[in-house]
């Protein structure tokens, strides 16, 4: 499922073959599949080493959730 705020993938159809953007636009040639695979493998490798999201550090958030849990605040309440 795509997030609604992403641009329409058809705008990337003019990108050169061998790029992930061209793969997202729908091309499934060998070069585009390889480019997509490289990106997915890179992010998988980051996730396995604990650096899965380079934009937001998860450590402080986990510590905060543990502190809330010790005070009796459950995950459903946090989500609400």
């Amino acid at each position: 499922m795509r997030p609604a705020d992403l641009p329409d993938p058809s705008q990337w159809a003019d990108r050169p073959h061998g790029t992930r953007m061209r793969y997202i636009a729908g091309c499934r040639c060998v070069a585009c599949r390889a480019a997509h695979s490289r990106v997915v493998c890179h992010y998988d490798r980051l996730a396995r080493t604990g650096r899965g999201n380079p934009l937001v550090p998860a450590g402080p958030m986990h510590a905060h959730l543990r502190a809330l849990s010790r005070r009796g605040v459950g995950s459903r309440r946090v989500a609400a």
Side-chain angles (χ1 to χ4, degrees):
M1 178 164 37
R2 284 176 81 248
D5 61 343
L6 282 178
D8 182 30
S10 64
Q11 77 177 16
W12 298 318
D14 61 344
R15 298 290 172 104
H17 285 280
T19 62
R20 184 163 187 257
M21 291 296 111
R22 183 65 182 243
Y23 176 87
I24 290 172
C27 181
R28 297 299 186 261
C29 73
V30 172
C32 293
R33 287 192 331 241
H36 177 70
S37 178
R38 281 191 302 273
V39 172
V40 170
C41 288
H42 172 72
Y43 284 119
D44 285 347
R45 202 168 24 259
L46 287 177
R48 282 193 310 272
T49 59
R51 299 175 292 147
N53 184 350
L55 303 178
V56 180
M61 183 268 313
H62 286 294
H64 181 64
L65 289 176
R66 281 192 298 274
L68 288 174
S69 178
R70 284 192 296 271
R71 289 175 176 79
V73 179
S75 59
R76 290 184 186 162
R77 182 67 181 159
V78 171

